[in-house]
Amino acid sequence: MTARVVVIGTGGFGKNHVRVLNELGSLAGVIDINQEVAKKYGSFYKVDWSTNLDSFNFNDIDGVVISTPTSTHKEIAIKLIEKGIKYLLVEKPFVATLKEATELLEFSKDENVKFFVGFIERFNQAVEISKNYLSEGKIGKPIILHALRVRSWPDRPIDLGVIKDTSIHDIDLSLYLFSSLPKTVYARSGSITHSINEDHATIILNFSEETRAVIDSNWLTPSKSRKLTITGTLGLIDADLITQEVILRNGEGAFLKRIDWKEPLLLELRRFINCIEEKTNPSPNQKDAVLALAVAEAALVSSKNNQVVSIPELLANYHIEDL
Ligand SMILES: NC(=O)c1ccc[n+]([C@@H]2O[C@H](COP(=O)([O-])OP(=O)(O)OC[C@H]3O[C@@H](n4cnc5c(N)ncnc54)[C@H](O)[C@@H]3O)[C@@H](O)[C@H]2O)c1
C-alpha cells in the first residue's frame, strides 16, 4: 500500500511538504484558502485541489499534513478527525497553546488518531549524530547544552512570537537529547521591532543541579545561524544544524563528522508515510508537543514575571500527568 497524503496550507513551508510528498509518490491533494496557490500546486502536481476542506473528498486519503498558520491547527485537526482521518502530521508547535493541546487531545481520545508533530530538527542528521555521541558516552555526562537559532525578521506573517515559533525547535531538542523534562525554566525576552509578540528570547532549562540548556533565539540577527553545542564532563559536541557537520572533541582528539547532506523534511515525511503504511505509532508525537509547549509557556510566564517557573507545577495545573 502506498500512503495517500493531502497537504492543507501550501504557503511558505507547506509548499515544501507538497514537493517532498510528490517526490515520495504520496501526494494525493492540496487544500489552501488561497485559490491561486491551491490551483497552482494542484495543477502542477496533477492532484485534487480545493480551497475548502469541507468540499474535498477524503474517502481514499490515509493521512493529512496541517501546515496552515498555527492558530488554525486545532480547528482543522478537529474537522479532519470528524471526517475519519487517522494520521495527522501537525506542523510545529502543534497548536497555539497548551490549553488548545489538552482540548484537542480530549476531543480525540476515543478516535484512535495518531498525531505526528513536525519537530523537523529531530530528522537533522547533525542531531542524530549528536544523540548517538551522547548515548555512547563520548563526552561523559552532559552538563550544558547551548542552542543558537537566529535570523533576520521572517518574510512571512507569523501568528506567534519567537518562543513558540522558533525556540520551540530547541526546547524539543533539549528534551529529546537529555531524554528528560526540565524541573524549572527561567527566561528573558522582548520585542525590539515592536511586534505584538516577542522577537528575541533567552531561555534557561534546569534539568538538574548540574545539567541545563540555554536557548537563544531571535529574529534580529542579520545572518542565519542554527547551532548546538553540548559540553560534558569529558568533552564537547559542536553541531551545525545548517551544514549538518558535527565536531566531537574529547580526550581522544577532535573529529569532524562529514556526511552527505540530506533534507530533514524528506526524512521526516518518509517516517510519517512509514507510520501510515506499517500502522506504527508516530515519533515525535502529541506527548512531545505538549511537553515542549509547556516549557514554551513556562518561558513566556517566566519572562513576563521575571521569575523561575516550575514545570511539574505547570503540568499539574493542566492536569497533564497522563499523556
Ligand atoms: N518545520 C519547520 O521548520 C517550519 C518552518 C516554517 C513554518 N512551519 C510551520 O508551518 C505552519 C505554516 O507556516 P508558514 O510559514 O508556511 O505560513 P504561511 O502563512 O506562509 O502559509 C500558510 C498557508 O495556509 C493557508 N491557510 C490559512 N488558513 C487556512 C485554512 N483555514 N485552510 C486552508 N489553508 C489556510 C494560507 O493561505 C497560506 O497559504 C506553521 O504552523 C509554522 O509554525 C514549520
Side-chain angles (χ1 to χ4, degrees):
M1 158 215 180
T2 304
R4 289 173 52 76
V5 178
V6 167
V7 178
I8 304 189
T10 56
F13 200 65
K15 68 176 187 306
N16 297 320
H17 281 286
V18 171
R19 168 180 54 80
V20 174
L21 282 167
N22 179 64
E23 272 170 43
L24 293 170
S26 279
L27 184 68
V30 293
I31 301 172
D32 197 294
I33 46 167
N34 178 340
Q35 176 164 346
E36 197 184 322
V37 287
K39 187 175 178 187
K40 175 175 144 189
Y41 292 114
S43 312
F44 186 78
Y45 291 111
K46 299 187 175 47
V47 291
D48 291 345
W49 63 271
S50 174
T51 55
N52 183 345
L53 77 85
D54 290 320
S55 57
F56 192 91
N57 180 358
F58 284 96
N59 277 350
D60 60 350
I61 299 303
D62 305 297
V64 176
V65 173
I66 302 178
S67 190
T68 52
T70 303
S71 51
T72 64
H73 289 185
K74 180 190 155 198
E75 188 194 331
I76 291 176
I78 287 176
K79 279 192 180 177
L80 291 167
I81 293 165
E82 285 171 344
K83 287 178 183 297
I85 300 294
K86 297 295 181 203
Y87 284 87
L88 293 177
L89 190 165
V90 187
E91 257 309 335
K92 61 85 193 162
F94 189 46
V95 287
T97 63
L98 199 48
K99 182 167 177 286
E100 282 191 4
T102 53
E103 289 165 357
L104 176 56
L105 298 183
E106 177 62 27
F107 177 84
S108 62
K109 73 174 193 251
D110 299 324
E111 304 292 334
N112 194 25
V113 178
K114 309 283 186 195
F115 289 104
F116 191 110
V117 180
F119 286 135
I120 193 168
E121 294 288 25
R122 290 209 193 186
F123 299 90
N124 188 315
Q125 296 178 101
V127 170
E128 192 187 338
I129 293 166
S130 304
K131 176 98 173 145
N132 288 340
Y133 281 157
L134 284 176
S135 53
E136 289 161 8
K138 298 278 191 202
I139 62 161
K141 178 177 169 342
I143 303 295
I144 181 155
L145 178 154
H146 274 115
L148 179 74
R149 188 174 295 262
V150 296
R151 55 167 294 173
S152 54
W153 185 257
D155 50 7
R156 61 186 168 104
I158 298 189
D159 47 0
L160 303 172
V162 77
I163 292 179
K164 281 186 180 171
D165 182 86
T166 299
S167 316
I168 197 91
H169 284 294
D170 298 312
I171 292 173
D172 175 63
L173 286 185
S174 302
L175 274 55
Y176 174 61
L177 289 168
F178 286 164
S179 304
S180 63
L181 197 58
K183 292 188 170 53
T184 60
V185 170
Y186 178 69
R188 303 305 295 147
S189 67
S191 173
I192 299 292
T193 49
H194 308 294
S195 65
I196 306 167
N197 297 311
E198 76 288 349
D199 55 25
H200 62 95
T202 302
I203 309 170
I204 303 176
L205 315 187
N206 293 299
F207 289 85
S208 71
E209 281 296 313
E210 286 179 337
T211 311
R212 66 193 174 280
V214 179
I215 296 173
D216 245 316
S217 331
N218 75 52
W219 292 329
L220 306 171
T221 306
S223 55
K224 195 186 264 191
S225 290
R226 293 183 201 151
K227 291 192 167 140
L228 269 185
T229 310
I230 311 168
T231 304
T233 48
L234 301 176
L236 172 89
I237 297 167
D238 208 346
D240 187 316
L241 302 190
I242 296 179
T243 62
Q244 303 187 351
E245 281 180 352
V246 182
I247 298 171
L248 169 70
R249 291 175 204 276
N250 59 19
E252 291 166 24
F255 309 92
L256 169 64
K257 188 98 174 177
R258 281 195 194 283
I259 21 112
D260 286 339
W261 190 93
K262 286 203 185 90
E263 185 176 6
L265 187 62
L266 176 76
L267 303 178
E268 176 186 291
L269 285 169
R270 234 187 230 152
R271 180 81 67 84
F272 179 55
I273 289 168
N274 194 263
C275 283
I276 298 174
E277 294 178 353
E278 307 291 325
K279 296 194 173 11
T280 53
N281 287 326
S283 173
N285 59 24
Q286 72 279 6
K287 178 177 177 184
D288 302 300
V290 165
L291 297 179
L293 270 173
V295 172
E297 291 199 0
L300 286 164
V301 171
S302 169
S303 180
K304 186 168 171 233
N305 302 334
N306 192 15
Q307 68 183 29
V308 173
V309 175
S310 155
I311 293 297
E313 278 175 28
L314 188 143
L315 292 176
N317 287 343
Y318 282 90
H319 307 290
I320 303 172
E321 286 92 22
D322 180 26
L323 281 169

